[in-house]
Amino acid sequence: MVGLGPKRKPSRKGSMADMPGSMVEEIKRLEQLFTVDTKKLKAITEHFISELDKGLSKEGGSIPMNPTWCMGFPTGYETGTFLALDMGGTNLRVCEINLPEEKGEFDIIQSKYRMPEELKTGNADELWGYVADCLQQFIEYHHEGEKLDKLPLGFTFSYPATQEYIDHGVLQRWTKGFDIDGVEGKDVVPPFEAALEERGVPIKLTALINDTTGTLIASAYTDSEMKIGCIFGTGCNAAYMETCGNVGKLAHMNLDPDAEIAINCEWGAFDNEHKILPRTPYDVIIDKDSPRPGQQAFEKMIAGLYLGELFRLVLVDLHEQGHVKMFEGQDISALKKPYSLDASFLSQVEEDAFENLAQTHDLFEKELNITPKRPELELIRRLAELIGTRSARLSACGVAAICKKKGYKTAHVGADGSVFNKYPHFKVRGAQALKEILDWESGRDGKPLKEGTYPVEIMPAEDGSGVGAALIAALTLKRVQEGNTVGIKDWEGMLKGTKAAKGDNKQFGGK
């Protein structure tokens, strides 16, 4: 067996010695295009703060800043049994979450059901009927022969929707491959509840939530320092707690100005006006060729869905520029297919630990039928680093903007999503950018900065679409019992048939 050479150090600068001059120039050009320096990070963050404020105002802005009607953080002492339903593009997940008396603890049982492809383009009755059938199956399996009170349900509905109430929501548009007629522009809750009623399933929908809000609440339940929930995955988003007095668009409701309400930012839409983000010609192409040009400007520069496409567009461009001689004389037809590379392709390039980049060489041969030469491999590696680093650094601007807006000197940020969890060096690069934007000189303990002492730390979140949804159902019931029914449409029906209706405080606790 031929040795593949010594293990290389991660993220080391490639050897430029054997590189053709045109390729060295190209790498320099790409470094200029994709590098975001400290000054630019700070400028983006300041603009981000003003756009968050604009989104909260009566006039509104590009960032929707949706009030979620989840009012305040959990105490950690919530108790009771709650269901959570998470309707994704490929699976339906049903969880039963028991919150015991111990602070911040939970027990969970869950089942997954496949979302049949034909349902995604079928009709609404079939969809809600299938969802209700899965819930019925879950309850029959886990509570066979038991006489149940109605179980409160938190439904994670991660599709663009507007919510005037926590227990109702109007679908704006389908995503994730769904295209069912007669649902867009309508409240999704009545047909869903009708399907449950028809089957006699003992469940009461208590909260309709977005997964990002769930991430915030689930993480705060187990860690009281959690202030922000983020998703860095195929898409991107954040949620945080705002005081009602700062939400101009709710001023007409005369809410207690000090009361807290979770805001689902939907910050992928930041800078749709293209005032501040450092777009490259490749970012412009991605936007122009996307299904919704001019929208989700921030998301298109940082989210997993687009990282591989950026990488692909640059490589095709270099091949077509004759003077660079990239993949010269090779058939690049596989590389020319839009969206054929995803973020995991870049991950594999960045994870290649061999000095001669043998894994990257094999990856290009296997997936794209291209045999790259050594200098080309060095450029490929540098390009992946540049795109991955830019994503992490721009992502940090949103986190820093919320921290500065809220005056958080220290905070934990709960993050989820495939890019955060799996992309190499994403966390370290994001932390470095936060350090630059927020001018940290020492850790939260006053000693030199090191991981674990950063004033603002982005860490893995708790399960937002399961535990988070159940907790928001618990908090909503608790509010109803306390007589605080703002933002709840069917508050009378919410208690009917549940343990809470019998005055059983154990159902949602709250010391």
Side-chain angles (χ1 to χ4, degrees):
M1 183 183 158
V2 181
L4 289 169
K7 283 263 187 175
R8 65 190 266 146
K9 293 193 187 80
S11 281
R12 71 141 187 62
K13 284 275 199 293
S15 151
M16 300 282 188
D18 313 321
M19 273 213 173
S22 60
M23 223 166 259
V24 174
E25 284 309 303
E26 230 15 80
I27 286 181
K28 282 185 183 155
R29 182 184 76 90
L30 292 170
E31 284 177 340
Q32 278 177 327
L33 272 182
F34 284 97
T35 301
V36 190
D37 64 17
T38 307
K39 189 177 169 202
K40 186 67 175 173
L41 287 177
K42 287 185 168 184
I44 293 167
T45 302
E46 288 308 314
H47 188 59
F48 217 128
I49 295 169
S50 66
E51 288 297 303
L52 294 172
D53 285 334
K54 201 185 281 182
L56 290 171
S57 71
K58 201 166 156 205
E59 297 68 43
S62 288
I63 308 180
M65 302 298 279
N66 298 326
T68 63
W69 300 108
C70 169
M71 311 285 286
F73 283 114
T75 60
Y77 290 107
E78 288 70 20
T79 55
T81 301
F82 303 88
L83 293 181
L85 169 67
D86 181 13
M87 192 172 104
T90 44
N91 290 313
L92 196 68
R93 182 169 67 117
V94 181
C95 313
E96 182 176 302
I97 287 121
N98 180 50
L99 306 174
E101 306 229 330
E102 293 79 20
K103 185 173 195 266
E105 295 290 320
F106 60 86
D107 301 308
I108 180 168
I109 47 174
Q110 55 186 326
S111 299
K112 275 190 179 167
Y113 305 88
R114 197 179 64 79
M115 182 60 81
E117 279 305 311
E118 60 276 14
L119 268 188
K120 293 165 78 168
T121 49
N123 67 51
D125 288 346
E126 286 169 358
L127 172 72
W128 301 122
Y130 179 74
V131 173
D133 285 342
C134 292
L135 284 162
Q136 185 170 29
Q137 220 177 313
F138 181 88
I139 284 193
E140 283 172 359
Y141 182 76
H142 293 291
H143 296 279
E144 200 182 347
E146 292 178 43
K147 177 144 180 35
L148 291 175
D149 292 300
K150 275 200 172 180
L151 286 166
L153 172 78
F155 183 178
T156 301
F157 188 76
S158 294
Y159 302 85
T162 51
Q163 275 190 269
E164 279 185 49
Y165 305 97
I166 196 160
D167 51 339
H168 283 265
V170 174
L171 177 72
Q172 290 168 308
R173 66 179 189 277
W174 282 117
T175 54
K176 303 181 192 180
F178 279 91
D179 191 13
I180 297 171
D181 280 345
V183 184
E184 291 183 354
K186 296 203 174 123
D187 187 347
V188 297
V189 173
F192 169 63
E193 291 205 311
L196 291 174
E197 197 71 37
E198 208 177 295
R199 289 160 181 75
V201 187
I203 286 174
K204 177 63 190 161
L205 185 134
T206 307
L208 190 71
I209 74 149
N210 174 283
D211 57 347
T212 316
T213 314
T215 296
L216 169 69
I217 298 300
S219 302
Y221 176 71
T222 59
D223 175 358
S224 55
E225 282 198 69
M226 282 289 172
K227 297 283 187 267
I228 302 169
C230 290
I231 306 286
F232 301 117
T234 312
C236 67
N237 196 12
Y240 75 103
M241 274 302 161
E242 188 52 271
T243 49
C244 292
N246 286 336
V247 187
K249 61 171 97 172
L250 298 180
H252 63 286
M253 296 184 72
N254 298 321
L255 302 171
D256 172 0
D258 296 326
E260 290 190 308
I261 185 165
I263 300 292
N264 166 24
C265 300
E266 295 294 353
W267 73 11
F270 168 61
D271 200 35
N272 281 350
E273 305 79 12
H274 308 313
K275 285 185 180 168
I276 192 84
L277 289 171
R279 296 204 305 163
T280 68
Y282 308 107
D283 296 298
V284 174
I285 294 167
I286 279 190
D287 184 44
K288 186 168 68 57
D289 294 346
S290 72
R292 302 167 73 80
Q295 298 193 24
Q296 300 302 94
F298 187 52
E299 184 160 283
K300 284 170 183 165
M301 291 178 76
I302 71 168
L305 180 60
Y306 306 100
L307 299 182
E309 182 63 0
L310 264 175
F311 180 75
R312 188 193 70 79
L313 285 170
V314 176
L315 293 180
V316 170
D317 181 40
L318 294 183
H319 173 76
E320 287 173 353
Q321 288 181 31
H323 71 282
V324 183
K325 297 188 170 44
M326 188 86 182
F327 309 139
E328 198 179 19
Q330 298 205 54
D331 172 11
I332 70 153
S333 51
L335 186 64
K336 285 194 161 177
K337 188 168 168 254
Y339 289 91
S340 52
L341 305 182
D342 60 11
S344 71
F345 191 94
L346 265 79
S347 292
Q348 290 175 73
V349 171
E350 283 223 53
E351 276 170 335
D352 188 346
F354 292 105
E355 189 65 34
N356 62 357
L357 293 169
Q359 284 170 328
T360 306
H361 177 276
D362 295 351
L363 182 67
F364 268 72
E365 276 199 332
K366 181 167 150 272
E367 301 285 333
L368 298 166
N369 217 6
I370 290 171
T371 307
K373 301 185 186 79
R374 180 63 194 272
E376 291 168 345
L377 287 168
E378 292 290 353
L379 184 145
I380 287 163
R381 169 62 167 243
R382 188 71 189 116
L383 176 61
E385 289 174 354
L386 287 167
I387 291 171
T389 301
R390 187 186 73 164
S391 166
R393 286 173 72 79
L394 291 178
S395 297
C397 294
V399 174
I402 292 177
C403 289
K404 288 188 81 162
K405 175 176 162 40
K406 296 300 295 171
Y408 297 145
K409 294 282 180 262
T410 63
H412 285 167
V413 177
D416 204 352
S418 51
V419 173
F420 178 78
N421 290 323
K422 295 179 183 163
Y423 197 92
H425 321 302
F426 184 86
K427 301 179 180 75
V428 175
R429 290 163 175 168
Q432 174 59 34
L434 283 177
K435 173 180 179 283
E436 292 171 39
I437 300 166
L438 300 171
D439 297 314
W440 297 335
E441 281 164 15
S442 58
R444 53 169 63 199
D445 54 3
K447 292 177 182 157
L449 271 176
K450 67 173 191 297
E451 204 174 342
T453 70
Y454 297 143
V456 175
E457 202 155 359
I458 305 179
M459 51 225 307
E462 288 291 345
D463 165 20
S465 56
V467 177
L471 279 163
I472 293 172
L475 292 171
T476 305
L477 272 184
K478 190 168 133 190
R479 251 187 346 108
V480 171
Q481 208 192 21
E482 290 166 354
N484 177 4
T485 57
V486 62
I488 304 171
K489 188 173 187 179
D490 182 24
W491 58 270
E492 288 170 298
M494 199 173 276
L495 292 179
K496 214 175 281 172
T498 65
K499 275 191 180 177
K502 302 171 183 172
D504 183 350
N505 283 339
K506 281 259 165 71
Q507 177 56 28
F508 30 63
K511 292 181 184 173

